[in-house]
Amino acid sequence: MKMRNMAALALLAVMLLTACGRAADAAVTTGEIVVPEMSSKDMLVNSLEYLLEEEIGEEAQTQEEKTQTDQPAKESDRTQEESEEQEKATVICYGKDMDSGLTEEVITAERITPDVLLSALARHNIVPLLDTKALSMEEREEDGRKFIYLDLSKSFREYLMTMSVEAECIIISSIVNTFTANYHADAMYITVEGETLVTSHASYTEALADYTPGEMMTYVTAAQGAE
């Protein structure tokens, strides 16, 4: 657009300068009063002002359109960033004693995986810090309910074998609540190297729901009575 305007200005200037030599012929004589037409200089100035105003107007319109186009893009980027932050939020549930409920801690992670959850739980002594690994995890829909099947390495069972029944209930409750919360499941099965988790206090053959440590103690006591 700027190149076209400049070319138009140059052509107009040449035409008006050529017409300057004919200015005297263009005068209208009525008796002794001479009424000149608009001079070539005035025409050139007016034409230049018109073209400059048109160019400035076009630039302002282009800038306004660009601003309107950029605004939705910025809002979209902000919405995407907020969405990504929400997806990184991870809830870790852990207990400290039998008398109180579980404490919830919100952490951020690039993505939720079983080992990410176990590592976070290890910082609260729920599982061994270095040894416990998730060998596999499967999510299943059964009778309208969602279940998690988590298989852990044998170090987890060895860790539980050193615990009192109260500590074991806190540990199991913390793991179950953390996994069911993050995977939106109703209950879960915990196995060790593909076999039923058996400790000195209980055999965990059934699906475990999101019990508090006290409710887990009731479950373990009932299991012991059934043996």
Side-chain angles (χ1 to χ4, degrees):
M1 179 60 73
K2 291 184 178 180
M3 294 297 296
R4 185 167 69 250
N5 288 344
M6 293 300 295
L9 289 173
L11 178 60
L12 180 59
V14 172
M15 293 174 62
L16 292 177
L17 290 174
T18 303
C20 286
R22 302 174 184 173
D25 296 336
V28 178
T29 304
T30 57
E32 295 181 354
I33 302 176
V34 178
V35 182
E37 295 180 348
M38 181 179 288
S39 68
S40 299
K41 179 179 179 181
D42 292 338
M43 292 176 64
L44 179 60
V45 170
N46 289 344
S47 299
L48 288 171
E49 290 176 349
Y50 174 78
L51 290 174
L52 287 173
E53 288 175 358
E54 182 182 21
E55 182 174 344
I56 292 172
E58 291 174 351
E59 290 180 352
Q61 182 179 1
T62 301
Q63 182 63 32
E64 182 179 357
E65 292 175 352
K66 182 179 179 181
T67 301
Q68 293 175 351
T69 302
D70 290 343
Q71 188 65 25
K74 291 179 181 179
E75 293 177 356
S76 177
D77 291 342
R78 184 168 59 253
T79 301
Q80 182 177 357
E81 291 174 357
E82 292 174 354
S83 176
E84 290 175 352
E85 288 299 323
Q86 292 176 357
E87 291 175 356
K88 292 178 181 179
T90 305
V91 179
I92 302 301
C93 305
Y94 62 94
K96 297 180 179 179
D97 54 58
M98 294 295 297
D99 298 327
S100 59
L102 297 177
T103 300
E104 292 187 355
E105 176 188 15
V106 178
I107 65 171
T108 56
E110 292 183 1
R111 61 193 185 98
I112 299 174
T113 67
D115 283 330
V116 166
L117 299 181
L118 291 174
S119 295
L121 288 169
R123 291 196 290 270
H124 299 285
N125 298 319
I126 300 302
V127 298
L129 184 60
L130 299 177
D131 298 332
T132 300
K133 301 295 181 184
L135 301 181
S136 67
M137 195 197 81
E138 183 180 357
E139 300 173 66
R140 299 180 191 174
E141 293 284 346
E142 300 176 3
D143 298 326
R145 302 179 68 202
K146 184 176 180 180
F147 293 88
I148 295 173
Y149 288 78
L150 178 66
D151 190 39
L152 299 175
S153 57
K154 66 178 181 179
S155 60
F156 177 65
R157 180 174 55 219
E158 295 170 351
Y159 182 66
L160 286 180
M161 295 295 286
T162 66
M163 299 293 170
S164 65
V165 64
E166 291 83 5
E168 182 174 315
C169 290
I170 292 172
I171 290 170
I172 297 296
S173 177
S174 299
I175 293 174
V176 172
N177 278 269
T178 295
F179 276 79
T180 55
N182 285 282
Y183 289 101
H184 308 289
D186 297 292
M188 70 181 294
Y189 292 90
I190 300 177
T191 57
V192 172
E193 294 191 338
E195 298 180 355
T196 299
L197 172 61
V198 178
T199 69
S200 56
H201 305 293
S203 177
Y204 296 92
T205 58
E206 300 178 359
L208 302 170
D210 52 351
Y211 299 139
T212 64
E215 292 170 338
M216 184 61 67
M217 175 64 78
T218 301
Y219 172 87
V220 170
T221 302
Q224 288 176 337
E227 292 179 355

